[in-house]
Amino acid sequence: MTRNIRWPAGIAVIAILLFPGTAHAGRDDVDGGTTTDGAGTHLEASAGAGQARISFSGNGTDGSGGLTSTQSTWTPPACYYAPVYTPEEYQAYWAELSREFYSSGWPQDDKDLLRENLEESYGEKGEYPNYNIEKQGEGMFWQVVRNDAYPIEDQLACEYRTFFVEFGDPPPDLPGVVNISTLAELAYERVRVPDTDIELNPDGDQTVNLATWVWLDQAAFEPVSVTASLDDYGLWATTTATPTTLTIEPGTSDARLHPASGECAVGGDGSIGEPYSRGRSGEEPPCGVTYLRATHATGSYGLTASLTWEISWEGSDGSGASLPSGVFETTHEITVSEVQAIVR
């Protein structure tokens, strides 16, 4: 059974002011804590006294960097509704909030309004008598979860509300309520991929007008997946990232790319580029760069290797779709020397 409560605006604002961590962004195996990195915006949800019960698993949680969407107009939700508290946790949460609020310097009228709303919503004769303690283990209270990496106006697009959903029932089909496609987007934000550590030949300093061969270790760049689950409700979505293209940017206009586009496709065997082998010094590499000017006067060049990953997902109900591709890039400092010939 699902019932919804919309708090009066004044009470909602008071709760947010006193306890701004009621629902915010963070990261852990089950949502909680906070993390950021420079590879993009990562939506990972948690709540102040409780935790949004979304679990994450899979080999895609083991890498070092998050993906940046190739579509700047697409972002995961800045706020949504997810299971946060068991009945016992919710009773304890409001007891603590009430103690701190009543001991604060807020006017008595505000305190009375909070008490009246608590009694109306969760009291003996309220919408959820005694916080549904008798339903402990049978369902959870859902609340808004906000991602504080987004502007506050986006976070507040979801109004403060609370509803109880029993484990045998589907979540209500309302805007912002977590469903399978939302889980797929949240799993995308948890995908972590390996560093794009390219191999070079020659290894070390490069030489003017001598092609540099570039390739990637095939074993390190296999598809990775993350599954986001509402375990107690039987809902899950698995999001998979598959590497497709390596793009090279030499860090200077004084260079020729191989191929000219700088895009090195993933081969049928999963390889990107080819390792250099003896006797191929006169060949053009299938993936690489030829530097045309030394770095002694300019400093090293920042060779950027960007790996594009295609994103797809499948859900517990047999649904599935694609999401915008993601990119992860790594910059390598390259020193280029000139060969000095001695004429006798």
Side-chain angles (χ1 to χ4, degrees):
M1 178 180 65
T2 303
R3 286 181 175 177
N4 179 64
I5 287 181
R6 298 188 182 187
W7 279 76
I11 293 299
V13 170
I14 289 170
I16 292 172
L17 288 173
L18 284 176
F19 296 91
T22 297
H24 58 88
R27 179 185 176 198
D28 211 324
D29 293 335
V30 176
D31 285 336
T34 301
T35 187
T36 59
D37 63 47
T41 300
H42 304 291
L43 178 61
E44 296 142 353
S46 69
Q51 292 183 330
R53 284 351 195 242
I54 302 176
S55 60
F56 298 87
S57 61
N59 68 338
T61 63
D62 301 330
S64 59
L67 296 172
T68 299
S69 171
T70 57
Q71 293 186 15
S72 59
T73 57
W74 178 86
T75 59
C79 61
Y80 56 91
Y81 301 96
V84 174
Y85 298 102
T86 68
E88 290 180 353
E89 289 170 344
Y90 204 40
Q91 182 185 48
Y93 166 73
W94 271 114
E96 177 63 21
L97 187 150
S98 299
R99 278 194 298 271
E100 297 200 25
F101 184 63
Y102 292 144
S103 65
S104 71
W106 284 81
Q108 186 61 44
D109 288 347
D110 289 336
K111 297 177 182 178
D112 291 341
L113 182 60
L114 176 60
R115 184 182 67 254
E116 290 169 7
N117 277 277
L118 281 173
E119 292 174 351
E120 178 183 344
S121 301
Y122 310 109
E124 289 299 327
K125 297 181 181 180
E127 193 78 13
Y128 302 111
N130 196 27
Y131 299 88
N132 276 7
I133 292 297
E134 77 284 358
K135 293 184 177 292
Q136 179 70 21
E138 300 177 15
M140 293 192 69
F141 285 100
W142 290 47
Q143 279 193 342
V144 63
V145 180
R146 308 186 194 277
N147 177 18
D148 46 12
Y150 286 85
I152 188 65
E153 59 269 21
D154 294 337
Q155 298 179 43
L156 295 179
C158 304
E159 65 185 42
Y160 185 90
R161 62 173 60 171
T162 298
F163 48 91
F164 188 86
V165 183
E166 296 184 7
F167 292 147
D169 294 340
D173 185 15
L174 297 171
V177 173
V178 166
N179 55 24
I180 291 174
S181 61
T182 309
L183 290 173
E185 293 181 352
L186 299 181
Y188 184 166
E189 291 301 316
R190 291 296 184 113
V191 169
R192 299 293 180 265
V193 297
D195 289 335
T196 312
D197 288 331
I198 56 176
E199 301 285 343
L200 302 177
N201 185 278
D203 186 21
D205 289 357
Q206 304 304 304
T207 302
V208 169
N209 293 321
L210 178 65
T212 301
W213 291 58
V214 177
W215 69 95
L216 286 169
D217 179 6
Q218 176 182 345
F221 290 90
E222 298 176 346
V224 296
S225 297
V226 173
T227 298
S229 307
L230 292 177
D231 297 324
D232 292 322
Y233 295 93
L235 301 179
W236 56 263
T238 297
T239 296
T240 300
T242 303
T244 58
T245 306
L246 176 70
T247 301
I248 299 172
E249 296 179 2
T252 175
S253 59
D254 293 314
R256 284 192 298 113
L257 290 168
H258 313 284
S261 65
E263 296 182 358
C264 306
V266 177
D269 61 353
S271 62
I272 301 178
E274 294 180 19
Y276 174 80
S277 58
R278 187 180 297 275
R280 303 184 68 178
S281 59
E283 297 182 25
E284 182 174 297
C287 183
V289 58
T290 298
Y291 285 102
L292 307 178
R293 181 170 295 183
T295 57
H296 61 272
T298 61
S300 61
Y301 299 134
L303 171 64
T304 300
S306 303
L307 193 63
T308 300
W309 300 71
E310 287 187 349
I311 310 296
S312 62
W313 64 269
E314 59 179 5
S316 51
D317 63 351
S319 60
S322 61
L323 289 169
S325 297
V327 175
F328 185 80
E329 67 178 35
T330 305
T331 300
H332 306 261
E333 295 300 322
I334 303 296
T335 300
V336 182
S337 303
E338 291 180 328
V339 174
Q340 300 295 326
I342 299 177
V343 179
R344 296 181 180 274

